[in-house]
Amino acid sequence: MINLTTLLELINKNPWLNILFIVLAVLGIFFTIFFYIKSIRSRKPIYCIRTINLVKEKTIRVDSISILFEDNKIDNLSISKIAIWNEGRETINYSDIAKNDLFRIESITHTSILDCQIIFEKNSANGFKVIKSENNRINIEFDYFDKYEGIVIQVYHTGTMSSDLLLKGSFKGTKSITRNDNTLRLFPRFIYEMFKYEYIKPYFVRRTIGIIMLIFPLILSILFLVKSSSPEKIIEAPLWTKLSYLSIITIPYWWLGYRFVKRPVPKGFNIFEDEF
């Protein structure tokens, strides 16, 4: 019968058992957190904005060129796509909106909202409507929407950036509406412009970079932990030192890789990522 001392010595002499126990411990923590989060029922209204500027003030400083909207001259013209969805497991009903803080799109100072329309609705039963009001905002009405249900709204305005538009409103049982375009911010626009859209889609480039970031630490781990047949190629260092170095390298790569691979919007909202 193997006693505890013998078992501990066996574990200490076998580094792969140490690695196995570490992996199992990490997986145990991960799945505990994962299933806990999955069990939480909450309302999570999320939105994401993409904007393209069609006309800038400096491009129409020619007397023979004039841009009009309803007989009024405008200096800038931009199109924004705004994706809105529920990422929580709890259904959002229209009655959940605070009467003193309605669900709406507003513009910052000096930006005028010209027109809007719904270009995608995940579930027509949700009954979404967008109503442009006279006080330069768009009111959003609906019946309800469940997890990963929502709409994409196309807005014409005189701003130049996505930050010129804001989604506002208060929902019962929810702290605030969350903007979820950090992935787009991590991926600079000039990288998109390096590729021709008709051959390579921007989201394909983004996900390819994300997959490379996820795989790279695994390749590095194999080279770092597995002993080479050539003695001069062996990395001499204690196992725990190697694992510490790998953790420092792996965690940032996996975090960035996940952010790139993860869809900025739910499945089915492809029109949001399509070019204007």
Side-chain angles (χ1 to χ4, degrees):
M1 182 176 179
I2 300 177
N3 58 34
L4 182 59
T5 304
T6 305
L7 181 61
L8 291 174
E9 290 179 354
L10 177 64
I11 293 174
N12 290 329
K13 291 179 180 179
N14 192 331
W16 292 109
L17 282 177
N18 287 319
I19 295 173
L20 177 62
F21 291 146
I22 292 171
V23 171
L24 291 176
V26 171
L27 288 177
I29 295 171
F30 170 78
F31 282 114
T32 300
I33 296 173
F34 175 78
F35 287 114
Y36 171 74
I37 294 174
K38 292 286 285 185
S39 66
I40 298 175
R41 297 186 65 84
S42 61
R43 303 179 183 92
K44 292 183 180 179
I46 308 288
Y47 76 104
C48 192
I49 302 180
R50 292 182 60 208
T51 298
I52 181 172
N53 183 246
L54 300 178
V55 178
K56 289 185 179 180
E57 183 178 1
K58 64 182 181 180
T59 63
I60 57 173
R61 290 178 179 173
V62 180
D63 294 337
S64 59
I65 299 177
S66 181
I67 306 298
L68 301 177
F69 176 78
E70 295 182 348
D71 297 329
N72 295 316
K73 185 177 179 180
I74 57 176
D75 295 328
N76 297 299
L77 177 61
S78 296
I79 301 177
S80 292
K81 289 182 181 180
I82 305 177
I84 305 169
W85 70 95
N86 177 15
E87 200 160 301
R89 297 170 63 86
E90 190 77 19
T91 300
I92 297 178
N93 295 292
Y94 191 72
S95 58
D96 295 324
I97 299 176
K99 293 181 180 180
N100 294 327
D101 192 13
L102 295 177
F103 194 30
R104 65 198 185 277
I105 299 170
E106 287 189 354
S107 63
I108 63 171
T109 308
H110 307 308
T111 295
S112 298
I113 295 175
L114 305 176
D115 199 4
C116 64
Q117 62 181 133
I118 295 175
I119 59 174
F120 171 77
E121 186 174 11
K122 185 71 176 289
N123 182 358
S124 58
N126 297 153
F128 276 98
K129 295 179 182 178
V130 291
I131 304 168
K132 182 179 176 296
S133 64
E134 295 179 355
N135 53 353
N136 201 35
R137 74 181 192 182
I138 300 169
N139 295 320
I140 304 172
E141 298 180 357
F142 58 91
D143 183 12
Y144 75 96
F145 58 116
D146 288 320
K147 186 172 184 178
Y148 296 144
E149 292 182 343
I151 56 173
V152 178
I153 305 171
Q154 189 159 278
V155 180
Y156 298 85
H157 58 93
T158 60
T160 57
M161 300 180 294
S162 296
S163 56
D164 291 333
L165 297 177
L166 300 173
L167 194 68
K168 291 186 176 182
S170 295
F171 292 81
K172 300 172 186 176
T174 303
K175 291 183 178 179
S176 62
I177 303 171
T178 305
R179 184 167 180 171
N180 189 42
D181 59 355
N182 290 330
T183 302
L184 300 178
R185 294 176 184 178
L186 284 171
F187 200 59
R189 187 70 192 178
F190 75 87
I191 298 181
Y192 287 150
E193 295 171 354
M194 293 169 58
F195 300 92
K196 293 183 178 180
Y197 294 136
E198 61 266 28
Y199 299 116
I200 302 177
K201 298 293 185 182
Y203 66 83
F204 174 79
V205 179
R206 187 182 67 245
R207 290 171 188 170
T208 301
I209 293 176
I211 291 171
I212 293 173
M213 286 183 172
L214 291 173
I215 295 175
F216 177 74
L218 297 177
I219 298 174
L220 185 62
S221 299
I222 294 173
L223 298 175
F224 203 57
L225 292 175
V226 178
K227 291 186 177 181
S228 172
S229 58
S230 303
E232 64 275 8
K233 294 183 180 180
I234 298 176
I235 300 175
E236 295 294 345
L239 176 63
W240 292 107
T241 303
K242 293 180 180 180
L243 292 176
S244 299
Y245 285 140
L246 287 175
S247 298
I248 293 172
I249 296 172
T250 300
I251 293 174
Y253 267 94
W254 279 0
W255 180 80
L256 285 171
Y258 169 76
R259 296 297 296 273
F260 279 120
V261 172
K262 185 179 184 295
R263 293 172 177 267
V265 291
K267 186 176 181 180
F269 284 64
N270 298 335
I271 194 171
F272 176 81
E273 295 190 281
D274 289 345
E275 292 312 305
F276 292 87

